[in-house]
Amino acid sequence: MSGNPTNQSETRPAVQFNPYAPGYDVNPYPALEKLRTEAPLFYWEQGRGWLVTRYEDAVAVLRDGQRFSPNREHWEFAASLGASAIVPELAELNKNGLFALDAQNHARVRKLVSPALTPRAIERLRPEIQAIVDEILDGVAARGRMDVVNEFAERIPARVIGSMLKIPKGREELFQDFTNAVVKNFLPGLVTPEEQEILRGHIREGLALVSETIEDRRRNPLENDIMTALIQTEEQGDKLNKQELLSLVSALIVGGFETTIHLIAFCTYNLLQRPEVLAQVKSEPELFKNLIEEVLRFDNFGKMGIARYALEDVELGGVRIKKGQMLLIMLNSALRDESTFDKADAFDIRRNTNVSIAFGHGAHYCIGANLARLEVQIAVGTLVRRFPELRLVKQPSFGPHPVIRRMEALEVDLRSPSA
């Protein structure tokens, strides 16, 4: 099947899309607004898929599991992809991942997993996350300056997941290497041949460590422990098997790593750009929850969309989508859609974000959303509380990345810490 949709070529709009153009990472919103206005469903030749840029269309695709699948095996170009993973064991593991499961098995696994990842269950991690954040900030306080991305945000997610899984003392560094390698495994184009063998070693050692942890927890269950809850959860006699547990750990790492890092960085940046908002969250700490949701909506760090693949010929927004074609749901555009969000281009910390789809929508809503929110709330809240004179030293720099607006550095002046 050809990737060039003939129905689009007949009336091709005079719109271009290049997410790798200079300046796009800094401010993609003018380009996205042009797409929403002139070509809300636009076939992007370079990416070989349709860009879905309006909120209504995005929600329609995300909630329709009968006609659209997240499994890229359904893509018309799937055969040309080859093995993208660096480590075959991890690629095999992902066959049990949530995105690879059929609808029935996906629903089964989600039902088993959900109780362990509810807001109430995740809230039990607050003291551990707070201790990690405090320790990192203790280490930089005396210097008076900090790079929020590299010296703060990047040091949090792996330690939180390691703490959440109760990785044994003395093996935290091995787990840190494992988490870094898992993330890089999903972006093989960014890995040099020299790095590949090192990453293979880290991933194999890490998988062995997580397997040992699962078996230890089976023998010695812990109270108020997420891994124990995942192992013991049961629905009419059905339980998660070891491969499914390993896949879930991998999914938490991949889904929670970059998301948490960049959400911490983007929240900090947006706060420091707006002194009036910073004053508001200091006087009303409960607004930190609203801050996170509004940053996800207003300044989403995604560059590319969430992929879905048509399981049959479909008409969407007046455009024919052929079976096997890919749709990229551009959340960064949909969340700025004026038809859904009043004054969409205004940053409003008191906005009602109940209709936000920043973490997805429907059956594939992000399982790690509650964990990411809690980490960011604690990290950014502690940062501005401990350093009330916090200020931006210079505008952030962005580095190359295929799917996100990767903030490379965000330098801040901490000034005098509070007692």
Side-chain angles (χ1 to χ4, degrees), residues 31 37 44 58 136 157 199 252 266 291 321 324 327 369 385:
T37 303
W44 180 35
I136 294 170
L199 292 181
L252 280 172
F266 275 69
L291 169 73
I321 310 294
L327 297 93
R385 185 181 70 249

Side-chain angles (χ1 to χ4, degrees), residues 187-381:
L187 300 167
L190 298 182
V191 178
T192 65
E194 294 76 22
E195 288 182 288
Q196 289 188 11
E197 195 55 44
I198 296 172
L199 292 181
R200 287 190 185 102
H202 288 329
I203 289 177
R204 286 169 181 150
E205 289 175 1
L207 288 173
L209 172 60
V210 176
S211 295
E212 289 171 24
T213 303
I214 291 170
E215 292 309 314
D216 177 70
R217 213 59 51 80
R218 286 192 201 279
R219 295 188 299 269
N220 306 296
L222 300 176
E223 192 174 350
N224 293 331
D225 172 64
I226 285 178
M227 180 65 85
T228 300
L230 288 171
I231 290 169
Q232 293 181 342
T233 188
E234 189 171 350
E235 178 72 24
Q236 297 181 343
D238 184 26
K239 290 189 174 186
L240 296 167
N241 61 44
K242 186 175 179 180
Q243 289 294 98
E244 288 168 339
L245 284 165
L246 283 168
S247 292
L248 282 169
V249 171
S250 173
L252 280 172
I253 291 170
V254 174
F257 203 82
E258 294 275 19
T259 298
T260 304
I261 291 168
H262 282 81
L263 194 44
I264 290 171
F266 275 69
C267 280
T268 303
Y269 173 65
N270 275 277
L271 265 184
L272 296 183
Q273 288 282 92
R274 299 174 174 84
E276 73 287 356
V277 176
L278 181 56
Q280 281 181 298
V281 297
K282 283 180 179 179
S283 62
E284 301 176 67
E286 64 275 13
L287 284 176
F288 270 103
K289 293 180 180 179
N290 302 53
L291 169 73
I292 292 167
E293 303 308 316
E294 182 64 349
V295 170
L296 281 167
R297 186 203 69 80
F298 177 84
D299 197 15
N300 195 285
F301 53 81
K303 177 171 359 193
M304 295 312 308
I306 298 175
R308 291 292 185 269
Y309 306 94
L311 298 175
E312 58 185 67
D313 290 353
V314 179
E315 183 169 309
L316 181 70
V319 173
R320 276 190 301 112
I321 310 294
K322 297 178 182 177
K323 179 181 178 180
Q325 288 188 327
M326 176 172 67
L327 297 93
L328 291 168
I329 301 159
M330 306 294 285
L331 296 181
N332 50 3
S333 174
L335 292 165
R336 285 278 197 113
D337 189 339
E338 302 81 356
S339 66
T340 301
F341 300 95
D342 184 44
K343 298 179 181 176
D345 291 332
F347 189 93
D348 181 2
I349 196 173
R350 298 184 186 277
R351 183 187 299 275
N352 182 344
T353 54
N354 288 340
V355 295
S356 176
I357 53 172
F359 282 106
H361 182 78
H364 287 275
Y365 183 82
C366 176
I367 62 168
N370 294 322
L371 177 60
R373 285 183 171 116
L374 183 62
E375 287 182 74
V376 177
Q377 185 186 340
I378 293 171
V380 181

Side-chain angles (χ1 to χ4, degrees), residues 103-229:
Q104 184 176 352
N105 278 310
H106 178 270
R108 177 185 71 83
V109 172
R110 288 290 293 232
K111 195 170 187 178
L112 289 168
V113 169
S114 294
L117 297 172
T118 62
R120 185 177 178 181
I122 292 297
E123 180 64 28
R124 297 190 190 112
L125 295 169
R126 181 179 287 274
E128 298 170 49
I129 299 172
Q130 186 67 62
I132 290 167
V133 169
D134 286 339
E135 183 185 328
I136 294 170
L137 290 177
D138 286 344
V140 298
R143 296 214 322 267
R145 280 200 178 194
M146 178 178 73
D147 178 348
V148 172
V149 178
N150 298 284
E151 295 178 287
F152 185 49
E154 284 191 352
R155 298 175 61 189
I156 295 173
R159 289 187 60 182
V160 169
I161 295 173
S163 178
M164 181 174 77
L165 300 178
K166 304 290 190 298
I167 296 299
K169 292 290 183 186
R171 306 189 78 180
E172 297 98 338
E173 188 174 341
L174 189 158
F175 187 76
Q176 175 90 44
D177 290 339
F178 170 57
T179 57
N180 290 332
V182 167
V183 173
K184 287 186 177 181
N185 181 79
F186 284 85
L187 300 167
L190 298 182
V191 178
T192 65
E194 294 76 22
E195 288 182 288
Q196 289 188 11
E197 195 55 44
I198 296 172
L199 292 181
R200 287 190 185 102
H202 288 329
I203 289 177
R204 286 169 181 150
E205 289 175 1
L207 288 173
L209 172 60
V210 176
S211 295
E212 289 171 24
T213 303
I214 291 170
E215 292 309 314
D216 177 70
R217 213 59 51 80
R218 286 192 201 279
R219 295 188 299 269
N220 306 296
L222 300 176
E223 192 174 350
N224 293 331
D225 172 64
I226 285 178
M227 180 65 85
T228 300

